[in-house]
Amino acid sequence: MEKLLEVKNLNVDFVNRDDTVRVISNLSFSLGKSEVLGIVGESGSGKSVTSLSIMRLLNEASARVRGTISFGGTDLLTLSEREMQAVRGNQIAMIFQEPMTSLNPIQTCGRQIMEPLLLHNQISKKEAADKALRLLELCGIPDAKNRFHEYPHQMSGGMRQRVMIAIALACSPKLLIADEPTTALDVTIQAQILELMKDIRKKNDMSIIMITHDLGIISDFCDRVLIMYTGEIFEAATVKQLFRDPLHPYTQGLLQALPRISRQTDRLEAIEGMVPDAGQMPKGCHFHPRCKYAQERCKKERPELKELPDGRCVRCFRV
């Protein structure tokens, strides 16, 4: 499969007056054209920082990003801010986690969809308005002509998320990054948003990075999946491999925590403990304080991410 995006040895450090904390460590992965890649992990695992690094949206004064992020053969980390602006929102677009805080409250939704069109395409305001209206209709917003003139606070959460998708799709990007696009939406609206994204992917032949903590979304939507923990990949596999035979104890714990109708127990299984603070990482394997299989070696040595004969990768001494 032809690669659209290739991330190699990505390291992200957050810097303050007193300390430097590494939040992403030697992260490497690739994304093929028309592929959907899922990135899964608990809060604090580094999912959103990874996406913001690709978009070059981290504050350069407080975040140091090192490594290579190759998009279409160009290293995004070598581009000037002006060159990156030509890529951001045009060739790579992002759906943010919370539309109410991402949309401009004092601009109409239609105007906000027009903005990337006017910025990246040499078209008139009327042409941009016509295309923005078609995008609202494409994204399943009823009464689009009137909604075009409404402000974000006049719309429901599901409608605001559709507006965010319309903005992201305005310039027909090659890559769409969706950061928890269905968080805080009810189950029915979640299903509608995911179906919309599936349809758009097919029509536009677009690659997608789906960032979520919901393994149900991953099983239904993605081709491959990365399991992240403390800024590292702990397991990488196809969706079929991961759900049929999860290898890492962390992946197994995430899957066992899923509620199932066929498993009617009084309590859901859970992974004990919490994701460690980035500034207080345990020695050895970062997961060992929470792992029921941890041995002395796990407390002293850090396992490498190893590729197995079937193509998947796992970071664990037991495998």
Side-chain angles (χ1 to χ4, degrees):
M1 182 183 293
E2 188 179 352
K3 292 178 181 177
L4 176 67
L5 177 75
E6 191 166 16
V7 177
K8 287 185 178 179
N9 299 321
L10 179 67
N11 290 282
V12 180
D13 297 325
F14 285 167
V15 183
N16 57 37
R17 289 182 180 180
D18 304 316
D19 200 7
T20 298
V21 176
R22 177 148 296 180
V23 291
I24 300 291
S25 181
N26 294 320
L27 188 70
S28 296
F29 66 90
S30 62
L31 174 70
K33 288 189 175 179
S34 304
E35 185 181 28
V36 180
L37 177 69
I39 301 181
V40 181
E42 296 169 278
S43 297
S45 61
K47 307 184 303 295
S48 294
V49 174
T50 300
S51 66
L52 293 173
S53 300
I54 295 169
M55 294 292 289
R56 290 267 308 270
L57 288 174
L58 292 173
N59 187 340
E60 293 183 1
S62 60
R64 292 177 185 165
V65 182
R66 300 287 184 271
T68 304
I69 302 175
S70 179
F71 176 74
T74 301
D75 185 359
L76 299 180
L77 296 182
T78 66
L79 299 182
S80 66
E81 179 56 29
R82 188 169 183 176
E83 290 171 328
M84 191 62 206
Q85 285 176 0
V87 174
R88 195 186 295 129
N90 185 20
Q91 298 180 56
I92 306 176
M94 187 166 177
I95 303 171
F96 292 93
Q97 188 168 350
E98 178 44 67
M100 197 59 200
T101 57
S102 302
L103 293 170
N104 189 333
I106 61 171
Q107 277 193 354
T108 63
C109 292
R111 177 65 196 179
Q112 292 183 66
I113 301 170
M114 289 171 60
E115 192 171 335
L117 291 165
L118 293 170
L119 179 64
H120 296 293
N121 301 310
Q122 294 181 343
I123 58 176
S124 66
K125 285 186 177 181
K126 185 181 185 307
E127 289 173 316
D130 290 342
K131 185 167 184 181
L133 185 59
R134 289 197 301 272
L135 283 164
L136 283 174
E137 292 169 346
L138 173 69
C139 290
I141 293 182
D143 195 17
K145 286 186 179 179
N146 288 326
R147 296 287 190 180
F148 183 93
H149 300 287
E150 289 187 354
Y151 292 87
H153 73 272
Q154 296 175 282
M155 292 189 171
S156 67
M159 290 297 174
R160 286 195 292 267
Q161 194 62 283
R162 290 170 190 268
V163 171
M164 284 290 298
I165 293 172
I167 294 170
L169 296 176
C171 296
S172 301
K174 296 177 183 177
L175 170 60
L176 177 66
I177 301 174
D179 187 1
E180 302 274 10
T182 58
T183 296
L185 301 179
D186 65 56
V187 176
T188 305
I189 302 300
Q190 280 187 24
Q192 291 173 3
I193 294 294
L194 290 173
E195 282 302 316
L196 170 63
M197 291 179 67
K198 284 181 185 178
D199 291 341
I200 289 165
R201 176 207 174 189
K202 290 178 182 177
K203 289 176 183 175
N204 294 5
D205 196 29
M206 183 171 58
S207 300
I208 298 176
I209 294 177
M210 172 66 74
I211 297 170
T212 183
H213 62 272
D214 189 333
L215 283 163
I217 291 174
I218 293 295
S219 67
D220 183 52
F221 193 75
C222 300
D223 302 312
R224 286 191 302 122
V225 57
L226 307 179
I227 302 294
M228 284 190 70
Y229 188 75
T230 61
E232 298 178 326
I233 294 173
F234 271 41
E235 187 165 355
T238 66
V239 168
K240 286 184 180 179
Q241 287 172 331
L242 192 89
F243 281 84
R244 185 173 59 237
D245 183 26
L247 296 179
H248 198 284
Y250 180 54
T251 310
Q252 294 168 3
L254 291 175
L255 286 169
Q256 287 166 1
L258 286 174
R260 291 185 179 89
I261 295 175
S262 60
R263 190 181 65 200
Q264 297 183 6
T265 56
D266 292 334
R267 297 181 64 184
L268 288 174
E269 294 186 43
I271 304 173
E272 293 185 2
M274 301 285 290
V275 178
D277 184 81
Q280 298 177 331
M281 288 296 171
K283 292 182 180 180
C285 175
H286 290 171
F287 186 62
H288 88 258
R290 307 176 68 190
C291 181
K292 59 184 177 182
Y293 303 111
Q295 300 174 352
E296 282 303 312
R297 184 184 182 187
C298 304
K299 300 174 184 179
K300 298 173 182 177
E301 301 176 39
R302 288 184 65 188
E304 297 292 326
L305 186 67
K306 292 183 178 180
E307 185 172 353
L308 304 182
D310 61 0
R312 70 166 77 187
C313 298
V314 186
R315 188 186 298 275
C316 183
F317 292 128
R318 294 179 64 248
V319 179

